Amino acid sequence: MILNTYANDPLSLQENLKHTFDAICEKNEFGKRVILDHPQGSGEVYFQEFHDGVSMELYDCTFREEITINIQTADANPLYFLYSLLPGVGFSHLPRGLGNFQAAVVRSSKNDPLEIYFPKDIPIQLLIFKIDKELYRKNRNKLIAKKEALQHLFEEQETVSTAHLCSPNICIADLYQKLSLSTLKDPNGIYFLEAEANLIVGHILTQYVTDNDLKETNWILTTSELERVRQMANRICQDPSDAYTIQELSRRTGLNPYKLQEAFKHLYKSTAVKFIQEKRLIKAAELLGTSEYNVTQVVEEIGLSSKSYFSKIFKAKYSSCPKEYQDQFKNRKILSIKV
């Protein structure tokens, strides 16, 4: 299911959720709360507007089918900061879905729509901040000017949206839980909400800067390090269905995430996540062509959770959707039998 919304119109998503899920939309001191109680989804979604061009969406819900939120950015291209307590949510321009306690920073671009992927039957605890770059930096120019990574982040994006998947951060998880479990339930919570939200935004920015600082150091690779990555890549080729994450690959190889990525680029001209995705797609094509698995079973077999995301990346590689690809092989088998 696809829900369309606009970066410059927060009401469009609220109305979409309301009509699609027969939801109740309540206005309170915190902003808006959309209550889902429907066969296709249950839970709550909070919407709040703050000062300085910051707005917040908090998802505490479960969808009974895969949901894609398509965000049109033709008239506005804000920054998006995401933070997820649980794995499963995907976002376009990210190499993989968000993991536990993981943030992402997305620079949107005009005429390059963004998509959020919500999996089926998996609890969602997701926080999204939408930030107007011009308004946000208005009173923070001196702070932003101190870090090149922040200067680049708040520049106008020209043609293509980009995204950075941050290293996991437990500190943000504590702030998230306080905000969702305490502040939004407390009648006096409105007095703390904006301060707590800005504190989380600050932590995400700090993690983003830290990641970029690490990226610029410790990048020289030894022969031993390259060999460890080569062995890890061979294991991925043999079993692409394993639940690989950058953190797990880093642990197994003994390299920090940025050294790991540099090693994959050096050896395979690809990032680690793209390498894993490529091997999974090759395995999926093999299963679709030679086994009796249906598409859902193939998705599970290669270690993915979102059927819609799988279909999108499979079509991008093979120029046909998974079912069409499978049917082509079935038709060839039928013709060969007749001959």
Side-chain angles (χ1 to χ4, degrees):
M1 180 188 298
I2 298 176
L3 304 179
N4 293 306
T5 186
Y6 299 88
N8 64 338
D9 181 13
L11 292 177
S12 57
L13 178 57
Q14 297 170 30
E15 289 300 315
N16 241 325
L17 289 170
K18 181 179 177 181
H19 292 303
T20 302
F21 298 96
D22 295 327
I24 299 171
C25 189
E26 293 182 349
K27 186 174 182 179
N28 56 34
E29 62 270 23
F30 297 107
K32 294 281 186 67
R33 180 173 69 144
V34 178
I35 304 170
L36 311 178
D37 185 10
H38 190 272
Q40 292 177 317
S42 59
E44 299 176 331
V45 184
Y46 291 86
F47 295 86
Q48 176 68 51
E49 297 281 338
F50 299 120
H51 296 91
D52 295 339
V54 178
S55 61
M56 181 187 81
E57 298 170 18
L58 189 149
Y59 294 79
D60 185 4
C61 55
T62 302
F63 294 111
R64 302 304 175 193
E65 63 175 277
E66 292 181 351
I67 302 292
T68 297
I69 296 179
N70 183 282
I71 306 171
Q72 296 296 322
T73 57
D75 297 320
N77 54 319
L79 293 173
Y80 286 89
F81 292 179
L82 297 84
Y83 186 80
S84 181
L85 285 187
L86 304 171
V89 175
F91 201 93
S92 59
H93 302 82
L94 286 176
R96 61 177 175 79
L98 293 167
N100 295 77
F101 315 124
Q102 192 161 35
V105 175
V106 181
R107 297 177 69 206
S108 65
S109 176
K110 290 186 177 180
N111 301 315
D112 187 14
L114 304 174
E115 292 182 334
I116 310 174
Y117 308 105
F118 293 96
K120 175 183 176 182
D121 293 333
I122 295 179
I124 304 298
Q125 288 185 294
L126 175 71
L127 193 57
I128 300 177
F129 291 101
K130 184 174 68 176
I131 298 175
D132 183 304
K133 294 192 290 286
E134 184 177 348
L135 288 176
Y136 188 82
R137 71 176 298 167
K138 189 175 181 180
N139 297 320
R140 300 174 177 87
N141 266 323
K142 289 184 179 180
L143 288 174
I144 292 171
K146 290 183 178 180
K147 287 290 183 179
E148 185 177 345
L150 293 182
Q151 293 178 43
H152 176 70
L153 181 64
F154 282 88
E155 289 173 352
E156 284 300 316
Q157 188 79 328
E158 293 182 357
T159 56
V160 180
S161 299
T162 58
H164 170 80
L165 197 58
C166 298
S167 301
N169 189 310
I170 301 296
C171 293
I172 301 175
D174 294 337
L175 294 168
Y176 178 109
Q177 290 177 323
K178 181 181 178 184
L179 186 148
S180 62
L181 298 177
S182 176
T183 303
L184 286 172
K185 311 296 182 184
D186 185 344
N188 296 317
I190 187 63
Y191 301 113
F192 307 102
L193 182 60
E194 184 165 2
E196 291 176 357
N198 275 304
L199 190 56
I200 294 174
V201 169
H203 273 275
I204 294 175
L205 280 171
T206 300
Q207 187 63 61
Y208 175 79
V209 170
T210 300
D211 286 353
N212 275 274
D213 287 345
L214 286 173
K215 188 176 181 180
E216 295 173 1
T217 59
N218 299 325
W219 61 269
I220 299 174
L221 295 157
T222 66
T223 303
S224 172
E225 289 170 338
L226 288 172
E227 182 56 32
R228 294 204 297 272
V229 172
R230 197 191 308 275
Q231 291 174 5
M232 192 70 245
N234 289 338
R235 178 170 179 172
I236 292 168
C237 292
Q238 293 169 8
D239 183 17
S241 65
D242 202 348
Y244 300 107
T245 65
I246 294 298
Q247 286 68 36
E248 180 63 12
L249 294 179
S250 294
R251 187 187 66 79
R252 293 185 185 182
T253 60
L255 302 179
N256 69 50
Y258 289 103
K259 263 199 170 183
L260 179 77
Q261 296 286 23
E262 289 298 325
F264 267 90
K265 290 176 186 177
H266 178 79
L267 291 169
Y268 306 106
K269 308 300 184 222
S270 169
T271 63
V273 289
K274 287 185 179 179
F275 182 89
I276 295 166
Q277 178 176 291
E278 176 73 6
K279 301 308 174 187
R280 282 175 170 169
L281 290 175
I282 292 172
K283 179 67 174 179
E286 178 187 333
L287 291 172
L288 289 169
T290 61
S291 75
E292 296 300 317
Y293 288 161
N294 60 35
V295 175
T296 299
Q297 290 171 318
V298 169
V299 171
E300 294 173 352
E301 196 68 17
I302 65 171
L304 294 179
S305 59
S306 172
K307 184 177 175 181
S308 60
Y309 176 67
F310 166 70
S311 297
K312 180 178 180 178
I313 61 175
F314 187 94
K315 188 171 184 179
K317 178 173 175 61
Y318 292 104
S319 301
S320 63
C321 68
K323 188 66 171 64
E324 292 171 345
Y325 186 91
Q326 188 175 50
D327 289 341
Q328 290 172 10
F329 277 86
K330 286 182 179 178
N331 292 335
R332 288 175 192 172
K333 288 179 182 178
I334 293 171
L335 287 174
S336 63
I337 292 171
K338 287 182 178 179
V339 172

